[in-house]
Amino acid sequence: MDHPNRIWVTTSKGVFGLAKKGDTWEGHGVRITTNDQGTIALDASDDPIYQIEATYNHGIPEGAMVMGDDWERSYGTLHWGEYDYSRVLPWYFAAHHDHQTTCWGVNTGCRALAYWRAGVEMVRLILDVRSGCRPLLLTGRSIELATVYRFEGGDPHPTLHTFLKTLCPKPRLADKPVYGANDWYYAYGNNTAKVILEDSKRVSDLSESPNRPFSVIDDGWQLPPGTTGGQWTGGNERFGDMPGLAHKMKELGCRPGIWMRPLYSAETHPESWFMAKDTLDPSNKDVLGKVFDDVHRLHVWGYELIKHDYSTFDVTSQWGFSFTDGMGSKGRTFADQSRTTAEILLDFYQTIRRAAGDSLIIGCNTVGHLTAGLFELQRTGDDTSGREWPRTVKMGVNTLAFRGVQEGAFFGADADCVGITTDVPWEKTKMWLELVSRSGTPLFVSAQQKAVGPDQLSALRDAFSIAAINTRLGEPIDWMTNRQPQKWNLGGVPVNFDWWG
């Protein structure tokens, strides 16, 4: 693997270049080691440390088109663009020029928040090792921060898909394709047990596959009612017996799923548990114990899919599109300053994984590059909509086009739900349903009861029959020139979608 030709560090005392001695880089109380496998480790730092920068003498070709990832969910802005050294490229990127694609990236589950800047003369990797918004206090230990990979191929879509499998050699994947219902995009929190059971029966009746569909209860079931978080010990007055509801959903032929927000609590806990009002600090071991208990309770109740949400926002107080300064939080600090933000998030995700047992996990507003290998599914983009068609095209189509390459490489890449409501014309929603169901990625449908007639039932039956089986990954054809690609290769068949017609 390539070795960096220069390394700089930023500590509380300034920015310093390090001197190389074999595989060791030293200076100003900082020691870093590299090896032939591409691993970069922080071995010592006498002062609080913010970040490490490494440059590589492998610039991208002049005139190349470059595509990068996002920090957590994507927000409709992923794209191929001309070379721009100022552009922040989180986790990995691809450069395409003259029928050749070169990919750079770091391993999933790394211990630093990593991003790239790609130039003609060099490629630069920045490893953010802060703890929240504060510099890291290393406290005498050594950390393997990241392992760097470079890969070359031809056609960009299959090349990038293959490369991502290199970054995550052991993804944790569901044993069968995941599909079914989620109530959010018609209910928006105004859900009830009765409506969930009606949803479950309809979804079950529409599926003829032995691979049974999921029916996922989204936000709205928890105590106290009307909050996006609080207590996860039982259902509010609209839901009641949550284990009993899971049992009824199974009797109808669905696999029950449920939503939660693990780091938001209106309960009374010691002050040391909180990093902000109602926001729990995941660097606190007692908080992780509570998270374990809350997630495990849902598993014991019988929910076979657990969707957890909001944790990146809760930890950073920002949405991903605001991360102009990496993922450094706006004034939010962890109690434990001796671990990087990435390490703290990994510990939090691993706690959820252990607590969930054999229930599938889908992360929403979580950092996919750190959940890969732990969670079976990932909500890879910001919300689509059951009310605004342009939002579905911006968020959903863009996400599926540019993060579909993560499907099966990192996890099941969920581009978000198909909202079937009376607010959006069916001829538009039908296109989104067709694309997702034939894309080889998870399919979740939010179908408003009064919006479902014979045409919708027929289309849903067809979509579920496709989504229930393993299908070839869909490929966007015009993604290098269009942020919401219209031309797709779906199962070897070219399909054109007129999103704005």
Side-chain angles (χ1 to χ4, degrees):
M1 184 57 208
D2 302 283
H3 286 263
N5 65 305
R6 296 189 70 180
I7 292 181
W8 291 267
V9 297
T10 302
T11 73
S12 59
K13 294 182 179 179
V15 181
F16 308 102
L18 303 185
K20 187 176 188 299
K21 299 177 182 178
D23 289 337
T24 304
W25 304 72
E26 292 186 276
H28 303 275
V30 178
R31 184 172 69 250
I32 291 169
T33 58
T34 58
N35 62 29
D36 291 338
Q37 287 71 49
T39 300
I40 300 174
L42 176 60
D43 290 333
S45 179
D46 293 342
D47 299 314
I49 185 167
Y50 290 87
Q51 69 179 32
I52 296 161
E53 300 183 31
T55 60
Y56 296 83
N57 284 332
H58 283 280
I60 64 173
E62 192 163 357
M65 297 290 284
V66 176
M67 189 203 102
D69 196 31
D70 257 333
W71 284 109
E72 42 106 15
R73 293 185 300 187
S74 61
Y75 291 86
T77 57
L78 294 174
H79 67 283
W80 287 93
E82 295 181 359
Y83 148 73
D84 180 358
Y85 190 66
S86 66
R87 184 177 168 190
V88 171
L89 304 165
W91 310 115
Y92 63 82
F93 74 91
H96 183 73
H97 182 263
D98 194 23
H99 306 293
Q100 183 173 348
T101 303
T102 301
C103 305
W104 287 82
V106 296
N107 59 302
T108 58
C110 53
R111 267 61 182 173
L113 304 175
Y115 66 95
W116 300 84
R117 294 188 189 273
V120 173
E121 295 182 357
M122 70 177 70
V123 167
R124 177 173 296 203
L125 171 65
I126 297 90
L127 298 174
D128 184 341
V129 296
R130 288 177 292 179
S131 178
C133 65
R134 298 185 294 177
L136 174 70
L137 302 177
L138 192 59
T139 63
R141 65 194 183 93
S142 177
I143 318 171
E144 284 194 2
L145 296 174
T147 300
V148 175
Y149 294 89
R150 182 167 65 93
F151 182 77
E152 294 185 353
D155 185 46
H157 197 271
T159 296
L160 187 53
H161 189 227
T162 299
F163 176 63
L164 298 188
K165 292 180 179 180
T166 302
L167 301 185
C168 183
K170 293 182 179 180
R172 185 182 178 112
L173 304 175
D175 60 353
K176 299 174 183 177
V178 174
Y179 72 104
N182 176 297
D183 66 88
W184 180 252
Y185 292 106
Y186 71 82
Y188 288 99
N190 295 314
N191 47 4
T192 66
K194 179 177 180 293
V195 171
I196 293 297
L197 291 174
E198 290 171 352
D199 264 8
S200 301
K201 184 178 188 311
R202 181 174 59 221
V203 169
S204 179
D205 290 346
L206 288 169
S207 174
E208 300 175 353
S209 172
N211 174 23
R212 301 311 296 157
F214 283 89
S215 182
V216 181
I217 307 167
D218 214 284
D219 185 6
W221 64 270
Q222 68 274 15
L223 292 166
T227 66
T228 56
Q231 301 174 31
W232 312 104
T233 54
N236 57 44
E237 65 269 17
R238 301 199 310 266
F239 281 86
D241 179 12
M242 298 305 291
L245 179 56
H247 180 70
K248 291 177 182 177
M249 294 163 75
K250 290 180 184 178
E251 286 186 325
L252 290 171
C254 281
R255 302 179 67 183
I258 198 165
W259 173 97
M260 71 173 307
R261 183 178 180 177
L263 291 181
Y264 186 91
S265 176
E267 300 166 296
T268 300
H269 298 295
E271 185 178 347
S272 61
W273 285 29
F274 293 91
M275 62 190 309
K277 186 180 186 305
D278 298 331
T279 303
L280 298 168
D281 181 349
S283 76
N284 183 305
K285 297 300 183 184
D286 292 327
V287 168
L288 292 185
K290 170 181 165 47
V291 169
F292 182 97
D293 291 343
D294 287 341
V295 173
H296 189 64
R297 185 180 304 113
L298 306 183
H299 168 68
V300 172
W301 284 351
Y303 290 92
E304 299 179 25
L305 182 149
I306 298 171
K307 175 184 177 183
H308 66 98
D309 201 354
Y310 278 99
S311 58
T312 302
F313 177 82
D314 289 337
V315 164
T316 67
S317 74
Q318 300 177 81
W319 300 111
F321 56 79
S322 301
F323 292 151
T324 54
D325 180 29
M327 280 185 63
S329 57
K330 289 183 177 179
R332 290 207 170 166
T333 58
F334 297 113
D336 184 357
Q337 197 178 344
S338 69
R339 290 184 292 156
T340 69
T341 297
E343 289 182 289
I344 292 168
L345 288 176
L346 277 168
D347 202 5
F348 167 64
Y349 297 151
Q350 288 165 348
T351 298
I352 292 174
R353 174 70 273 160
R354 291 193 297 271
D358 60 359
S359 294
L360 304 185
I361 303 176
I362 178 168
C364 183
N365 189 223
T366 52
V367 182
H369 212 79
L370 302 181
T371 69
L374 295 174
F375 302 162
E376 291 87 355
L377 301 153
Q378 177 80 2
R379 249 286 302 282
T380 51
D382 195 12
D383 290 9
T384 56
S385 179
R387 297 168 176 166
E388 306 169 23
W389 174 245
R391 183 178 182 90
T392 295
V393 177
K394 178 182 178 181
M395 301 300 182
V397 176
N398 180 265
T399 296
L400 185 55
F402 291 89
R403 278 191 156 170
V405 288
Q406 297 177 353
E407 170 66 35
F410 287 0
F411 29 57
D414 172 27
D416 206 11
C417 299
V418 178
I420 302 175
T421 71
T422 56
D423 292 330
V424 179
W426 168 241
E427 62 267 20
K428 296 185 180 297
T429 299
K430 185 178 180 181
M431 291 190 292
W432 179 228
L433 175 64
E434 180 183 357
L435 175 58
V436 179
S437 65
R438 296 177 61 185
S439 68
T441 66
L443 169 67
F444 290 102
V445 173
S446 296
Q448 183 183 35
Q449 188 170 4
K450 64 181 180 180
V452 177
D455 290 347
Q456 290 78 15
L457 288 173
S458 177
L460 284 169
R461 185 174 286 106
D462 291 343
F464 287 165
S465 69
I466 297 169
I469 60 176
N470 288 306
T471 55
R472 181 172 158 187
L473 181 62
E475 180 177 350
I477 303 304
D478 55 337
W479 68 327
M480 299 195 77
T481 56
N482 191 346
R483 293 194 185 193
Q484 294 95 32
Q486 294 179 273
K487 300 176 182 179
W488 289 76
N489 183 334
L490 301 177
V493 178
V495 182
N496 186 72
F497 296 99
D498 186 4
W499 303 120
W500 303 111

